[in-house]
Amino acid sequence: MLQSIRERAQGVVAWFIVILISVPFALFGINSYLGGGSESVAATVNGQDITQREFESGYRDFRENLRQRLGDNYRPEMIDEAQLRQEVLQLMIRNNLLMQKSEELGLRVGDDLVKQVIASLSGFQVDGRFSQDAYERGVRLQGLTPAGFEQQIRRGLVSEQLSKAVTASEFTTRSELLNLAQLRLQRRDFEYLILPAANFLSGIEVDDEAVEAYYAAHQNDYMAPERVKIRYLDLDIASIAKSLTADDETLQAYYNQHQSLYKTAEQRRASHILIAVDEGSDDAAVAQARSVAQAALDRVRGGEDFSAVAKAVSQDPGSAEEGGDLGFFETGVMEPAFDEAVFNLQPGEISDLVRTPFGFHVIKLTEIRESTGKSFDEARDEVEQAYLKAEAERLFYEYAERLGNIAYEESHSLQPAADALGIEPKESDWITRDGGEGMLGAPKVIAAAFSEDVLISGNNSEAIELNPEHVMVLRVVDHEEAAVKSLDQVKQAIRDKLRVEKAVEQAAREGAELVSGLTKGETLAAIAEEKGVTIKPRKVISRDERDVPADLVKHLFLMPRPEGDMPVYGQLAMASGDLALIALHAVTDGTLADANELGGEAVLNNALTQSRGKSYFQHLQGNLRAEADVIITNKSSDN
């Protein structure tokens, strides 16, 4: 009985935690847009409202989904919340349009499929089987009724039907598949040489008049962006932990309270015989139970096998069939009287009768599993680190609240908050709206620094949560408006740019002359010797080649096919100013047999079909959005 109670309690806690974690994740993307009466509206799609409550719920689900998928790479300080909120709203509008189109087409989902999907969600399962209690509790945690939740599932499935109907309607003919293989798996046999930019840059001069003329015509290209310098206070758990100390007495107390982190507790394995009697039973019933229990005790002390007697007379349904075996457990798990008896026995010993609220027990200790792990001295460094982090976490939330409050109350300066918390203010270099280095590049920081309240009114910012363990408050200490850089500041950059442009033009002209000579019989080898460069080894490449410059690969696959044994020559004036001379010797089309390189003909066929199907589905979504009457309120994008 005790065993079954213990297992049942652990099971309830386990599946309840599973629901709390998995249901929000499982529900993401299956949004309903049920009307909310007088609720504020985030958007109206063809007359159908997406309420602000629904939007906020969808946004929270999206953030949680993002956090789950990114794991340790999740960086909330790098998220532009205003932009993300707009993207989520657009996603909800798109889903709403798809559901409207599905209903217009008469797409339906049966009750059986809805039930199957709900039963398959892990958050609603206990011991691998669907639990109605878990389902109802999980749905309530989402603020829904079972009917409302089932409607969400139904709408999501209907929307999925439309997607599959469009994407699965496309097919690929064998001729199209062959054309794809020929082009995608094509290989080209070529060789080339590079004439470096320095060959063309030498001797090119750009006078001041040309620089000034270019500057006058392209001043917008040389705008110095608006920028600010900020003073800030940042508070994080790691820094707080470094400022703390702890003596051995404190650490020993922490170790004692958290021994399970450093060592396993002693465990004991026991068997018992239970003769059940309720606490409220009369004296006669108690006496009868005691008599039966005493008889069982006499039998095992008289030499009978404990397991056999337990199977014969024990009234604990959870352990009787196992000969009374309760397995291993730590102190504090069982009823106090039962626990005390077990931990006062030696292996093989049998207790006197033990009374608990469940009745009378005869207990036999069968095995002791000794405590293992690290002593305090062995674990001292770990204990100190854990204690200081825990203490820093406790202080962090207190300090973070004080930082925000003081910075708000004393909005003209950060010094009062710095003095109160013992934090040294820091100052940044210039920061533009594109961000600074490290945490100063976080969208939240940039948004605060350039906000009207901070930049124009001169107030401290609100406390900015960079991540759950790091907050910041800032104020602007210097500001420069966007302005055109002076000619002196950009003169050299313009001169260099114009020289490279002229070099590229000269390279293109010289390249055309060299290609003309090649087509008339001159050789790459002769040009290479004349220019003092080396021809790159001849090779056969595909479109996925990584050892050749990407722009050269692209140009190579645009060149016409050679006819006969004569190569086709081409030239490419690269952005760097280098000139590439190319000799294309042969083109070999891909075949369906080559499709094994991409996973086989079936995979190639499936990829082409899916690509077309997805493209058509995207066109459908675009058309629905273009034709829709969508009204978006400003509130939906508020932070």
Side-chain angles (χ1 to χ4, degrees), residues 186-188 190 539-543 545 553 556-557:
Q186 188 181 92
R187 296 179 182 276
R188 297 204 163 200
F190 80 114
K539 65 188 302 186
V540 179
I541 68 169
S542 69
R543 296 177 187 272
E545 178 66 33
V553 173
L556 176 68
F557 277 85

Side-chain angles (χ1 to χ4, degrees), residues 402-637:
R402 291 178 62 194
L403 173 62
N405 289 340
I406 297 173
Y408 176 77
E409 293 165 359
E410 304 286 347
S411 61
H412 61 284
S413 171
L414 292 176
Q415 201 57 48
D419 294 340
L421 297 174
I423 305 174
E424 190 67 28
K426 303 174 185 177
E427 289 198 9
S428 75
D429 198 350
W430 289 108
I431 300 173
T432 70
R433 291 182 182 270
D434 291 331
E437 295 294 326
M439 65 182 181
L440 300 183
K444 292 180 180 179
V445 173
I446 302 307
F450 286 91
S451 67
E452 181 177 348
D453 189 49
V454 175
L455 182 62
I456 307 302
S457 300
N459 294 321
N460 297 331
S461 72
E462 296 180 350
I464 303 165
E465 182 181 328
L466 298 175
N467 62 53
E469 297 184 353
H470 195 174
V471 296
M472 171 197 285
V473 171
L474 62 85
R475 66 181 292 102
V476 171
V477 294
D478 203 353
H479 174 226
E480 287 186 358
E481 294 283 0
V484 178
K485 295 179 182 178
S486 69
L487 177 59
D488 287 340
Q489 289 177 295
V490 299
K491 181 181 291 184
Q492 189 58 48
I494 293 176
R495 195 182 305 278
D496 291 342
K497 177 179 175 62
L498 294 179
R499 288 187 70 230
V500 170
E501 287 180 356
K502 286 190 174 185
V504 170
E505 292 173 1
Q506 183 172 323
R509 288 193 298 271
E510 185 170 332
E513 294 174 1
L514 291 172
V515 168
S516 177
L518 288 167
T519 58
K520 293 176 182 178
E522 196 171 354
T523 65
L524 272 183
I527 294 175
E529 183 176 358
E530 178 188 348
K531 302 295 184 181
V533 297
T534 303
I535 298 175
K536 304 295 182 181
R538 182 170 169 174
K539 65 188 302 186
V540 179
I541 68 169
S542 69
R543 296 177 187 272
D544 300 324
E545 178 66 33
R546 293 290 180 267
D547 293 333
V548 176
D551 52 350
L552 197 154
V553 173
K554 180 178 179 181
H555 184 80
L556 176 68
F557 277 85
L558 293 174
M559 290 174 63
R561 292 171 179 266
E563 296 182 3
D565 295 332
M566 288 295 296
V568 171
Y569 294 102
Q571 58 93 12
L572 174 64
M574 305 169 79
S576 62
D578 293 341
L579 173 68
L581 291 180
I582 309 166
L584 173 59
H585 292 281
V587 175
T588 304
D589 287 334
T591 66
L592 289 178
D594 298 329
N596 289 328
E597 295 182 15
L598 300 178
E601 185 176 332
V603 172
L604 195 62
N605 180 75
N606 187 54
L608 182 57
T609 300
Q610 285 193 0
S611 175
R612 286 185 169 181
K614 289 179 180 178
S615 177
Y616 291 152
F617 188 60
Q618 288 172 354
H619 283 308
L620 171 64
Q621 294 178 71
N623 291 339
L624 291 176
R625 185 66 171 84
E627 296 170 1
D629 180 13
V630 178
I631 301 173
I632 299 176
T633 66
N634 292 330
K635 188 175 181 181
S636 63
S637 62

